[in-house]
């Protein structure tokens, strides 16, 4: 979501005659697009602001947008007096106001609705991978999560508006569509004529566009993985055989405290249905260790479910108390040393599972999409259908294909290596 927001902010400023620079010292406006999902992310924002104010031109404008702006509000001006604007995640389309009135301080952290999608300009050229938000906010109110406070309650965009964006990017260079939402598979929209639309309808309509070759979505909530959506993995070949479906914990007691109202049996049943619909599908997940009151037995149940599902990659974190959340005030907060020990043990398992899957790809040919050069600039990075980075040599004297069949020749935990088949 932040990548999408950053792209739209850049397009907005470019439409007003500005160009992007990587140099803080040369910039006329400096924007931090922020995330508040963990305390460390918020801390990094203010640390970065301290470095930026030492490097920027005296008259350069500086501000924050996104979830930290919503979380901090007017207090951000107190912490960093040099700030010119603080705009929440649904307010960054207000940036022209600060450009027109550079001497003002602009604070807008209202949750609002879907106005930003109507007011932001479209880019004349889309990247090969286009992110398309289909809803904002979340209604699940997990006790650890700040998203309902920073992004608001769940709002689904009109079906025709989403498809207008999809067709625009398809006509301006996109090959892959990734539908976005804090609760993306909870998308529900009722048109004025009473027609009801779900995520499966968006996938079906998008797959009819010749220019779009790959479709995926993130991030999914288990109880919203309905049969119509599962069936799309059986019937639509453009839908990639990969799904991020966070479980967070393998302990029923911890899931209850998290306000995650699903059982392990339900979660496992969904995975079984997905694998029946699409035998080559692979699953990734999110985990939180050290949630308040988590016992050694609770943690071992998390290890067990990770081993049982065999996730091919996952995001795992120590529990981080966030303001405006129920869990931050719960008793039996877990000491940091125990959190770290549990995270180390879980990561060791998840890394081994990821390495095993990557090694199982050796000898296979996978259809992959070009992402760009690697850090050295000497090779190219492609993405497999399972979102693995695959490193290949640059072809001689030819433009590398956006989509390529790549034979996987070696693998590590972090990446694959391969060769493009001509």
């Amino acid at each position: 979501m932040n990548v999408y927001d950053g792209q739209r902010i850049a397009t907005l400023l470019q439409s007003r005659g500005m160009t992007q620079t990587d140099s803080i010292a040369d910039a006329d406006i400096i924007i931090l697009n922020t995330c508040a999902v963990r305390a460390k992310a918020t801390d990094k924002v203010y640390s970065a602001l301290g470095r930026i104010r030492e490097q920027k031109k005296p008259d350069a404008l500086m501000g924050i947008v996104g979830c930290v702006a919503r979380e901090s509000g007017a207090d951000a001006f107190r912490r960093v007096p040099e700030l010119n604007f603080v705009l929440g995640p649904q307010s960054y389309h207000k940036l022209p106001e600060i450009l027109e009135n550079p001497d003002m301080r602009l604070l807008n952290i209202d949750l609002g609705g879907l106005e930003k999608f109507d007011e932001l300009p479209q880019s004349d050229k889309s990247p090969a991978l286009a992110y398309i938000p289909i809803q904002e906010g979340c209604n699940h109110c997990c006790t650890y999560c700040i998203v309902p406070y920073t992004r608001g309650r769940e709002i689904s965009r009109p079906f025709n508006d989403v498809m207008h964006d999809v067709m625009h990017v398809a006509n301006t260079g996109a090959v892959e569509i990734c539908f976005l939402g804090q609760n993306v598979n909870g998308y529900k929209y009722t048109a004025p004529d009473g027609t009801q639309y779900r995520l499966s309808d968006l996938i079906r309509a998008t797959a009819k566009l010749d220019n779009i070759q790959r479709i995926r979505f993130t991030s999914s909530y288990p109880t919203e993985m309905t049969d119509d959506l599962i069936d799309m993995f059986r019937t639509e070949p453009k839908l990639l055989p990969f799904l991020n479906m966070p479980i967070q914990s393998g302990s029923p007691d911890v899931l209850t405290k998290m306000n995650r109202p699903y059982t392990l049996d339900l979660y496992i049943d969904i995975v079984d249905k997905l694998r029946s619909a699409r035998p080559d599908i692979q699953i990734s997940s999110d985990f939180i260790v050290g949630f308040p009151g988590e016992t050694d037995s609770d943690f071992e149940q998390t290890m067990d479910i990770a081993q049982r599902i065999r996730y091919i990659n996952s995001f795992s974190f120590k529990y981080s108390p966030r303001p405006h959340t129920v869990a931050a005030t719960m008793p039996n907060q877990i000491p940091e040393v125990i959190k770290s020990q549990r995270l180390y043990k879980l990561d060791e398992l998840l890394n081994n599972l990821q390495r095993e899957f990557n090694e199982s790809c050796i000898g296979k040919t996978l259809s992959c999409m070009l992402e760009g050069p690697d850090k050295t600039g000497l090779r190219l990075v492609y993405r497999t259908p399972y979102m693995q980075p695959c490193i290949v040599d640059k072809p001689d004297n030819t433009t590398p294909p956006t989509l390529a069949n790549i034979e996987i020749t070696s693998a590590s935990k972090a990446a694959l290596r391969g060769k493009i088949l001509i």
Side-chain angles (χ1 to χ4, degrees):
M1 186 68 80
N2 273 19
V3 171
Y4 168 84
D5 286 343
Q7 291 172 344
R8 297 306 297 270
I9 290 169
T11 300
L12 173 66
L13 297 179
Q14 289 164 356
S15 72
R16 302 181 69 84
M18 306 191 81
T19 56
Q20 200 164 337
T21 175
D22 294 326
S23 170
I24 291 174
D26 291 339
D28 296 304
I29 182 169
I30 302 160
I31 304 164
L32 288 187
N33 185 20
T34 64
C35 172
V37 71
R38 295 187 303 281
K40 183 179 286 188
T42 299
D43 293 341
K44 284 183 176 180
V45 170
Y46 287 101
S47 177
L49 287 171
R51 294 192 301 272
I52 289 169
R53 65 183 173 188
E54 299 296 326
Q55 301 175 45
K56 75 180 189 72
K57 296 186 293 188
D59 59 345
L61 301 174
M62 178 175 72
I64 59 175
V65 304
C67 290
V68 171
R70 166 69 181 166
E71 176 193 0
S72 298
D75 188 58
F77 291 121
R78 181 191 63 80
R79 294 183 64 174
V80 185
E82 295 87 351
L83 283 174
N84 300 96
F85 55 92
V86 176
L87 299 173
Q90 293 170 343
S91 304
Y92 61 75
H93 58 289
K94 304 288 186 181
L95 275 170
E97 292 184 28
I98 196 70
L99 296 176
E100 293 164 3
N101 302 281
D103 295 328
M104 71 179 289
R105 276 189 168 188
L106 179 59
L107 171 68
N108 192 320
I109 56 171
D110 294 338
L111 290 176
L114 302 172
E115 294 87 357
K116 70 179 181 183
F117 296 108
D118 297 326
E119 297 191 28
L120 292 169
Q122 294 275 16
S123 175
D124 293 335
K125 182 171 175 55
S126 298
L129 165 58
Y131 293 108
I132 305 291
I134 64 175
Q135 51 98 261
E136 284 265 327
C138 184
N139 289 346
H140 285 291
C141 296
C142 302
T143 57
Y144 56 82
C145 185
I146 197 173
V147 164
Y149 177 80
T150 58
R151 292 270 181 175
R153 304 297 279 176
E154 194 170 300
I155 309 174
S156 292
R157 296 181 64 197
F159 177 85
N160 287 340
D161 288 1
V162 175
M163 288 309 303
H164 176 270
D165 287 356
V166 168
M167 288 185 283
H168 174 80
V169 298
N171 291 330
T172 54
V175 174
E176 179 177 325
I177 297 290
C178 180
F179 290 118
L180 295 177
Q182 277 77 36
N183 181 32
V184 68
N185 56 337
Y187 175 83
K188 301 180 186 72
Y189 176 72
T190 302
D193 65 1
T195 304
Q196 294 184 331
Y197 294 98
R198 297 293 306 265
L199 175 56
S200 56
D201 297 301
L202 289 171
I203 293 169
R204 189 178 296 106
T206 300
K208 294 177 181 178
L209 302 177
D210 292 340
N211 292 345
I212 301 303
Q213 299 299 311
R214 296 171 29 137
I215 303 170
R216 58 188 172 95
F217 55 90
T218 193
S219 183
S220 302
Y221 194 86
T223 59
E224 307 281 7
M225 190 56 63
T226 50
D227 288 343
D228 63 303
L229 186 54
I230 292 172
D231 197 55
M232 292 305 302
F233 286 97
R234 177 184 292 107
T235 61
E236 183 42 65
K238 289 185 179 181
L239 183 60
L240 295 183
F242 175 75
L243 178 70
N244 175 258
M245 188 168 66
I247 192 170
Q248 303 301 359
S249 174
S251 163
D253 288 344
V254 172
L255 289 175
T256 297
K257 293 175 183 176
M258 288 178 167
N259 193 33
R260 303 278 291 186
Y262 49 83
T263 65
L264 294 184
D265 286 344
L266 174 64
Y267 187 95
I268 292 167
D269 183 59
I270 292 168
V271 172
D272 289 343
K273 286 182 177 180
L274 286 162
R275 288 174 171 165
S276 175
R278 185 77 182 262
D280 61 340
I281 197 169
Q282 298 295 334
I283 313 295
S284 72
S285 188
D286 297 354
F287 292 93
I288 295 173
V289 301
F291 189 79
E294 182 188 65
T295 65
D296 288 342
S297 175
D298 291 327
F299 174 68
E300 287 305 320
Q301 291 176 81
T302 296
M303 296 286 287
D304 289 344
I305 196 68
Q307 182 70 50
R308 178 169 180 174
I309 302 297
R310 302 192 69 79
Y311 298 103
I312 67 163
N313 62 55
S314 294
F315 301 97
S316 51
F317 308 101
K318 294 185 288 186
Y319 167 71
S320 175
R322 306 305 297 122
H324 314 289
T325 64
V326 173
T329 61
M330 284 182 175
N332 301 318
Q333 298 283 329
I334 305 300
E336 283 296 316
V337 63
I338 295 178
K339 291 183 192 177
S340 296
Q341 290 168 353
R342 290 176 180 171
L343 183 62
Y344 178 84
K345 187 175 179 181
L346 178 61
D347 280 349
E348 189 174 39
L349 171 61
L350 295 174
N351 288 339
N352 286 337
L353 293 173
Q354 183 172 339
R355 181 181 292 106
E356 288 175 15
F357 176 72
N358 285 355
E359 290 174 351
S360 75
C361 294
I362 296 173
K364 295 180 179 178
T365 298
L366 300 176
S367 176
C368 304
M369 194 177 81
L370 179 63
E371 187 168 274
D374 69 356
K375 292 180 180 180
T376 69
L378 302 176
R379 297 178 179 84
L380 298 174
V381 178
Y382 279 78
R383 286 281 170 181
T384 76
Y386 305 106
M387 297 299 104
Q388 304 147 291
C390 182
I391 301 168
V392 302
D393 292 331
K394 286 184 177 180
D396 295 332
N397 303 319
T398 60
T399 301
T402 301
L403 289 174
N405 289 323
I406 296 178
E407 181 183 351
I408 308 305
T409 56
S410 65
S412 65
K413 193 279 291 186
L416 308 177
R417 289 184 179 270
K419 59 181 180 180
I420 298 176
L421 299 180
I422 305 301

